[in-house]
């Protein structure tokens, strides 16, 4: 019983983790994405170029390892011919949940970019 109360108390004080999705493709290019975890499915959504970022906020699930995947799709004339299935977040094997983690993912014409902090440049990770 003490372990449950302690974990519950930690989760209450824990800042939510965030996955941020950006569309940096080009004017008029739409990013379609479908994000899902081991407990949630957010469905298929669309993000216009330079629109307000889409943000997923969540706490790590303990003892299950929290994983989020997103399928990103885009293409000329919005035909969505290019697709990436990306694991955008994965909690490590821990008994204490991670708090305040940030994962920034951006779709650009030449690939998918990633950063763990807002103040560092995005790095291309998928071509």
């Amino acid at each position: 019983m003490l372990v449950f109360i302690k974990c519950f108390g930690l989760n209450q004080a824990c800042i939510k983790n965030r996955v941020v999705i950006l569309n940096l493709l080009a004017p008029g290019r739409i990013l379609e994405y479908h994000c899902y975890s081991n407990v949630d499915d957010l469905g298929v959504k669309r993000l216009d170029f330079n629109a307000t970022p889409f943000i997923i906020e969540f706490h790590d699930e303990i003892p299950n390892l929290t994983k989020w995947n997103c399928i990103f799709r885009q293409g000329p004339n919005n035909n969505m011919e290019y697709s990436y299935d990306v694991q955008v977040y994965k909690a490590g094997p821990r008994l204490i949940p991670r708090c305040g983690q940030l994962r920034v993912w951006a779709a650009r014409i030449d690939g998918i970019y990633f950063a763990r902090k807002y103040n560092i440049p995005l790095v291309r990770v998928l071509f």
Side-chain angles (χ1 to χ4, degrees):
M1 183 73 159
L2 181 62
V3 172
F4 173 75
I5 293 169
K6 187 173 181 176
C7 287
F8 182 75
L10 284 173
N11 204 25
Q12 291 298 326
C14 186
I15 296 170
K16 288 184 178 182
N17 300 314
R18 300 174 92 195
V19 172
V20 178
I21 299 170
L22 305 167
N23 177 354
L24 304 177
L25 291 166
R29 296 288 286 261
I30 294 172
L31 174 66
E32 183 179 277
Y33 57 95
H34 178 193
C35 296
Y36 56 94
S37 74
N38 40 339
V39 294
D40 289 312
D41 187 330
L42 303 180
V44 177
K45 300 184 182 298
R46 295 168 75 93
L47 191 61
D48 291 327
F49 174 70
N50 269 348
T52 301
F54 180 76
I55 299 173
I56 305 167
E57 292 185 318
F58 57 93
H59 287 112
D60 280 354
E61 297 292 327
I62 303 296
N64 300 323
L65 297 179
T66 303
K67 295 179 188 175
W68 278 93
N69 282 65
C70 292
I71 301 169
F72 299 119
R73 293 185 190 97
Q74 64 93 11
N77 303 317
N78 298 316
N79 66 6
M80 307 300 161
E81 67 182 272
Y82 303 109
S83 178
Y84 290 101
D85 189 351
V86 180
Q87 186 174 72
V88 295
Y89 181 86
K90 179 181 177 186
R94 336 169 54 94
L95 294 177
I96 299 172
R98 288 183 176 180
C99 301
Q101 296 293 303
L102 175 66
R103 305 292 186 269
V104 180
W105 294 90
R108 292 185 174 162
I109 291 295
D110 63 342
I112 302 292
Y113 287 70
F114 171 76
R116 288 182 187 256
K117 295 182 180 179
Y118 283 123
N119 61 350
I120 62 171
L122 293 163
V123 175
R124 186 167 54 175
V125 292
L126 296 168
F127 300 86

